[in-house]
Amino acid sequence: MGCDVHMYAEKFNKETHQWEKIGTEFFDLYHVDTIVNEISRQFGLTYEESKELLYRYLRGNRTPKNKIEDYIMKKYLDTSISDNPNHDWWNDKSKLPYPYTDQPYGGRNYDLFGALAGVRNDSMELIADMDRGLPDDVSEEICNISDEWGMDGHSHNYLYLDEILDSSYYKMSDSDLDNMGLGTYFFRDVVDALLYLGDPKDIRIVFWFDN
C-alpha cells in the first residue's frame, strides 16, 4: 500500500501573532506538466522551451521574447487555463487545468519522507525531531484539515524553513541529492517557493502521511 504526504505551509503574522495557512501559491506539478505538454503539442516547442515559457507566465513575467510567445501568453494561456481550482480537466477538456495548489509538495518519494519524518525509510538522517505532532499554535484551517483525516493520518510533523536551510540536505549538490534518491525538487524548487514568502524564521511546513 502506498504512502502519501499531505503538506501545507504557514506564515507567522507579526501583527496578530498567529500562524496563518498559505493559500494556492504553489505550482501543482501534475497540472503544470499537463499544460507544458499541451503547449509543446500545440505549438511545436520542445518540452523545456514550453516549461520555461509557462513558468515565466505563471510567475508574472509575461513579456514575450518573440511573436509565437506573444500569441501563447496573450491569446492561448490567458483564455485556456481554468481559473477554477475544482475544474475537472479529466472530463472537461474545454479548459486546461488550474495550475496552482495550496500544497508546496505532493509527490511520493520515500527517501524524502524518511528525511522529513522517518516515514517509510528510517535510515535517512532526520532534518529535525520526528513525531513532533501538529504545532501547538497551528492555524485553525490546517487543524481542521488534519481532523478530517482522523485516524487515517499519521506521523504529524512540522519544520521551520530555517531548519530546512540549515540541514545537510539543503547544502548538498544536486548530484548528491540525486545519488541519495532524494532528487532536487523539494530542496530546490519547493524551498525556493517557500523563501519567496518571507523570512525563513516566519515560514514553516506542516505535514502528515496516510497509507
Side-chain angles (χ1 to χ4, degrees), residues 26-80:
F26 306 100
F27 293 157
D28 184 309
L29 277 187
Y30 181 76
H31 288 177
V32 165
D33 187 64
T34 298
I35 298 171
V36 169
N37 280 313
E38 280 298 302
I39 294 172
S40 180
R41 185 179 70 84
Q42 292 274 1
F43 299 98
L45 302 180
T46 67
Y47 181 89
E48 289 303 321
E49 289 171 338
S50 302
K51 181 178 179 181
E52 191 269 339
L53 185 156
L54 180 62
Y55 270 57
R56 281 192 285 119
Y57 176 87
L58 295 177
R59 288 169 175 156
N61 179 7
R62 301 185 179 183
T63 302
K65 296 179 180 178
N66 49 52
K67 289 183 178 180
I68 190 170
E69 284 198 1
D70 185 70
Y71 180 84
I72 293 171
M73 287 184 172
K74 297 179 180 178
K75 298 290 185 180
Y76 181 69
L77 294 178
D78 272 353
T79 59
S80 298

Side-chain angles (χ1 to χ4, degrees), residues 157-173:
N157 216 333
Y158 59 95
L159 290 169
Y160 293 93
L161 181 53
D162 59 348
E163 290 180 309
I164 299 173
L165 297 177
D166 286 340
S167 71
S168 61
Y169 298 115
Y170 181 73
K171 298 170 185 176
M172 288 180 181
S173 67

Side-chain angles (χ1 to χ4, degrees), residues 30 67 91 96 110 116-117 121 154 171 185:
Y30 181 76
K67 289 183 178 180
N91 296 309
L96 293 171
Y110 291 156
L116 293 176
N121 185 344
H154 65 84
K171 298 170 185 176
Y185 182 71

Side-chain angles (χ1 to χ4, degrees), residues 93-106:
K93 295 295 197 293
S94 64
K95 289 283 187 178
L96 293 171
Y98 185 75
Y100 302 104
T101 178
D102 61 353
Q103 297 198 49
Y105 178 86

Side-chain angles (χ1 to χ4, degrees), residues 1-6 120 149 152-154 208-211:
M1 182 179 294
C3 176
D4 291 308
V5 66
H6 302 271
R120 286 293 176 122
W149 279 94
D152 290 328
H154 65 84
W208 58 90
F209 303 83
D210 78 90
N211 293 321

